[in-house]
């Protein structure tokens, strides 16, 4: 009885996390289309000017991790990091690679947590078998 209740709460939590992620994606896309000035070079430069370099590197690292959760490509973020942190390309390289590894791990864990493996195994069993045999 108690395990059934826990399972029900787990399923509810899975749905909340999934729909929260979808809502975050919609909000981000809406911001991009309604307020593109928030993503302009001038706005970003004026936003970042008052901060120390160490703080900016930490913020850059966190943004790169979050980027992965929204399935955005890393190349524009790496190029922006090289431009913003000119002279510290080594730090940008290490932070970018580390953030890519962390976000990939988070995506892997979240997909497992959300039960996407079971969903796709149920929905596309033949395709899963083909992929597994090729691996």
């Amino acid at each position: 009885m108690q395990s059934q209740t826990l399972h029900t709460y787990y399923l509810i939590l899975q749905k909340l996390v999934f729909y929260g992620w979808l809502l975050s994606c919609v909000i981000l896309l809406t911001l991009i289309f309604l307020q593109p000035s928030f993503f302009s070079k001038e706005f970003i430069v004026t936003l970042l000017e008052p901060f120390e370099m160490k703080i900016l590197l930490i913020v850059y690292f966190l943004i790169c991790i979050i980027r992965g959760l929204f399935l955005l490509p890393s190349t524009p973020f790496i190029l922006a990091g090289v431009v913003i942190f000119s002279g510290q390309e080594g730090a940008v390289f290490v932070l970018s690679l580390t953030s890519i590894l962390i976000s990939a791990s988070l995506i892997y864990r979240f997909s497992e947590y959300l039960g996407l493996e079971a969903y796709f195994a149920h929905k596309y069993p033949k395709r899963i078998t083909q992929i597994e045999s090729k691996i």
Side-chain angles (χ1 to χ4, degrees), residues 85-96:
F85 305 110
S86 60
Q88 296 192 359
E89 289 82 9
V92 171
F93 175 74
V94 169
L95 290 175
S96 298

Side-chain angles (χ1 to χ4, degrees), residues 108 111-123 128 132:
Y108 178 76
S111 66
E112 182 181 323
Y113 172 75
L114 292 174
L116 295 178
E117 178 184 351
Y119 170 78
F120 286 117
H122 175 71
K123 186 113 175 148
I128 298 292
E132 286 176 348

Side-chain angles (χ1 to χ4, degrees), residues 41-112:
K41 179 183 175 185
E42 295 80 21
F43 181 79
I44 294 171
V45 167
T46 56
L47 186 69
L48 298 178
E49 278 179 339
F51 295 101
E52 278 186 45
M53 189 62 68
K54 291 177 184 178
I55 301 295
L56 290 178
L57 284 170
I58 292 169
V59 169
Y60 172 75
F61 180 64
L62 294 174
I63 287 172
C64 286
I65 291 172
I66 293 168
R67 168 218 50 88
L69 297 177
F70 289 100
L71 305 178
L72 296 171
S74 61
T75 305
F77 288 86
I78 294 171
L79 294 175
V82 168
V83 170
I84 293 171
F85 305 110
S86 60
Q88 296 192 359
E89 289 82 9
V92 171
F93 175 74
V94 169
L95 290 175
S96 298
L97 281 181
T98 306
S99 68
I100 290 169
L101 291 172
I102 291 171
S103 63
S105 299
L106 287 173
I107 290 170
Y108 178 76
R109 296 301 295 168
F110 279 142
S111 66
E112 182 181 323

